[in-house]
Coordinates of all heavy atoms in Angstrom, one line a residue:
I1048 N 0.8 -1.2 -0.1 CA -0.1 0.0 0.0 C 0.9 1.2 0.0 O 1.8 1.2 0.8 CB -0.9 0.0 1.2 CG1 -2.0 -1.1 1.1 CG2 -1.6 1.4 1.3 CD1 -2.9 -1.2 2.2
V1049 N 0.6 2.2 -0.9 CA 1.3 3.5 -0.9 C 0.8 4.2 0.3 O -0.4 4.3 0.5 CB 0.9 4.3 -2.1 CG1 1.5 5.6 -2.1 CG2 1.4 3.5 -3.4
D1050 N 1.7 4.7 1.1 CA 1.3 5.5 2.4 C 1.4 7.1 2.0 O 2.2 7.5 1.3 CB 2.4 5.3 3.4 CG 1.7 4.9 4.7 OD1 0.6 4.7 4.8 OD2 2.5 4.8 5.7
P1051 N 0.4 7.8 2.5 CA -0.6 7.4 3.4 C -1.9 7.2 2.6 O -2.0 7.7 1.5 CB -0.7 8.8 4.3 CG -0.5 9.8 3.3 CD 0.6 9.2 2.4
P1052 N -2.8 6.4 3.2 CA -4.0 6.3 2.5 C -4.9 7.5 2.8 O -4.6 8.2 3.6 CB -4.7 5.0 3.2 CG -4.0 5.1 4.5 CD -2.7 5.6 4.4
V1053 N -6.0 7.6 2.0 CA -6.9 8.6 2.4 C -7.9 8.0 3.3 O -8.4 6.9 3.1 CB -7.8 9.1 1.0 CG1 -9.0 9.9 1.4 CG2 -6.9 10.0 0.1
Q1054 N -8.1 8.7 4.4 CA -9.0 8.2 5.5 C -10.0 9.2 5.9 O -9.6 10.4 6.0 CB -8.1 7.8 6.7 CG -8.8 7.3 7.9 CD -7.9 7.0 9.1 OE1 -6.8 7.4 9.2 NE2 -8.5 6.4 10.1
I1055 N -11.2 8.7 6.1 CA -12.3 9.4 6.7 C -12.3 9.0 8.1 O -12.8 7.9 8.4 CB -13.6 9.2 6.1 CG1 -13.6 9.7 4.6 CG2 -14.7 10.0 6.8 CD1 -15.0 9.5 3.8
P1056 N -11.6 9.6 9.0 CA -11.4 9.3 10.4 C -12.7 9.4 11.3 O -13.6 10.1 10.8 CB -10.4 10.1 11.0 CG -10.4 11.3 10.1 CD -10.9 10.9 8.8
T1057 N -12.9 8.7 12.3 CA -14.0 8.7 13.2 C -14.0 9.8 14.2 O -14.9 10.3 14.7 CB -14.1 7.4 14.0 OG1 -12.9 7.4 14.9 CG2 -14.2 6.1 13.2
G1058 N -12.7 10.4 14.4 CA -12.6 11.4 15.4 C -12.2 10.7 16.8 O -11.9 11.4 17.8
D1059 N -12.2 9.4 16.9 CA -11.9 8.7 18.1 C -10.6 8.0 17.9 O -10.5 7.2 17.0 CB -13.0 7.7 18.4 CG -12.7 6.9 19.7 OD1 -11.8 6.0 19.7 OD2 -13.3 7.3 20.8
K1060 N -9.5 8.3 18.7 CA -8.2 7.7 18.3 C -8.2 6.2 18.4 O -7.6 5.5 17.6 CB -7.1 8.3 19.4 CG -6.9 9.7 19.2 CD -5.8 10.3 20.2 CE -5.7 11.7 19.9 NZ -4.7 12.2 20.9
D1061 N -9.0 5.6 19.4 CA -9.0 4.1 19.5 C -9.6 3.5 18.3 O -9.1 2.4 17.9 CB -9.7 3.7 20.8 CG -8.9 4.1 22.0 OD1 -7.7 4.2 22.0 OD2 -9.5 4.3 23.2
L1062 N -10.7 4.0 17.9 CA -11.4 3.4 16.7 C -10.5 3.6 15.4 O -10.5 2.7 14.6 CB -12.7 4.2 16.5 CG -13.9 4.0 17.6 CD1 -15.1 4.7 17.2 CD2 -14.2 2.5 17.7
D1063 N -9.9 4.8 15.3 CA -9.0 5.1 14.1 C -7.9 4.1 14.2 O -7.5 3.5 13.1 CB -8.6 6.5 14.0 CG -9.8 7.5 13.7 OD1 -10.9 6.9 13.2 OD2 -9.6 8.6 13.9
R1064 N -7.3 3.9 15.3 CA -6.1 3.0 15.4 C -6.5 1.6 15.0 O -5.8 0.9 14.4 CB -5.6 3.1 16.8 CG -4.3 2.3 17.0 CD -3.5 2.6 18.3 NE -3.6 4.0 18.8 CZ -4.2 4.5 19.8 NH1 -4.8 3.6 20.7 NH2 -4.2 5.8 20.2
A1065 N -7.7 1.1 15.5 CA -8.2 -0.2 15.2 C -8.5 -0.4 13.7 O -8.1 -1.5 13.1 CB -9.5 -0.5 16.0
A1066 N -8.9 0.6 13.1 CA -9.2 0.6 11.6 C -7.9 0.4 10.8 O -7.8 -0.3 9.9 CB -9.9 1.8 11.1
L1067 N -6.8 1.2 11.3 CA -5.5 1.1 10.6 C -4.9 -0.2 10.7 O -4.2 -0.7 9.9 CB -4.6 2.2 11.1 CG -4.9 3.7 10.6 CD1 -4.1 4.7 11.4 CD2 -4.6 3.8 9.3
V1068 N -5.1 -0.9 12.0 CA -4.6 -2.2 12.2 C -5.2 -3.2 11.2 O -4.6 -4.0 10.6 CB -4.8 -2.7 13.7 CG1 -4.6 -4.1 13.9 CG2 -3.8 -1.9 14.6
S1069 N -6.5 -3.1 11.0 CA -7.2 -3.9 10.1 C -6.8 -3.7 8.6 O -6.7 -4.7 7.9 CB -8.7 -3.8 10.2 OG -9.1 -4.3 11.5
L1070 N -6.5 -2.5 8.4 CA -6.0 -2.2 7.0 C -4.6 -2.8 6.8 O -4.3 -3.4 5.7 CB -5.9 -0.7 6.8 CG -5.5 -0.2 5.4 CD1 -6.6 -0.7 4.4 CD2 -5.4 1.3 5.4
K1071 N -3.7 -2.8 7.8 CA -2.4 -3.4 7.7 C -2.5 -4.9 7.5 O -1.8 -5.6 6.8 CB -1.6 -3.1 9.0 CG -1.2 -1.7 9.0 CD -0.2 -1.4 7.9 CE 0.4 -0.1 7.9 NZ 1.1 0.4 6.8
K1072 N -3.6 -5.6 8.2 CA -3.9 -7.0 8.0 C -4.3 -7.3 6.6 O -3.8 -8.2 6.0 CB -5.0 -7.5 9.0 CG -4.5 -7.6 10.5 CD -5.6 -8.0 11.3 CE -5.3 -8.0 12.8 NZ -6.3 -8.3 13.7
F1073 N -5.1 -6.4 6.0 CA -5.5 -6.5 4.6 C -4.3 -6.5 3.7 O -4.0 -7.4 2.8 CB -6.5 -5.5 4.3 CG -6.7 -5.4 2.7 CD1 -7.5 -6.2 2.1 CD2 -6.0 -4.4 2.0 CE1 -7.7 -6.2 0.7 CE2 -6.2 -4.3 0.6 CZ -7.1 -5.1 -0.1

């Protein structure tokens, strides 16, 4: 994946971090 992705964040650091972890798994 080319960094950085375009992200529509949640505004919650924990939720955004969990989403990035799942993206790395993908």
Side-chain angles (χ1 to χ4, degrees):
I1048 291 177
V1049 177
D1050 230 9
V1053 165
Q1054 179 183 11
I1055 298 179
T1057 65
D1059 181 285
K1060 289 179 184 177
D1061 292 331
L1062 294 178
D1063 291 341
R1064 191 173 310 120
L1067 285 168
V1068 166
S1069 289
L1070 186 62
K1071 289 294 182 189
K1072 287 179 187 174
F1073 168 80

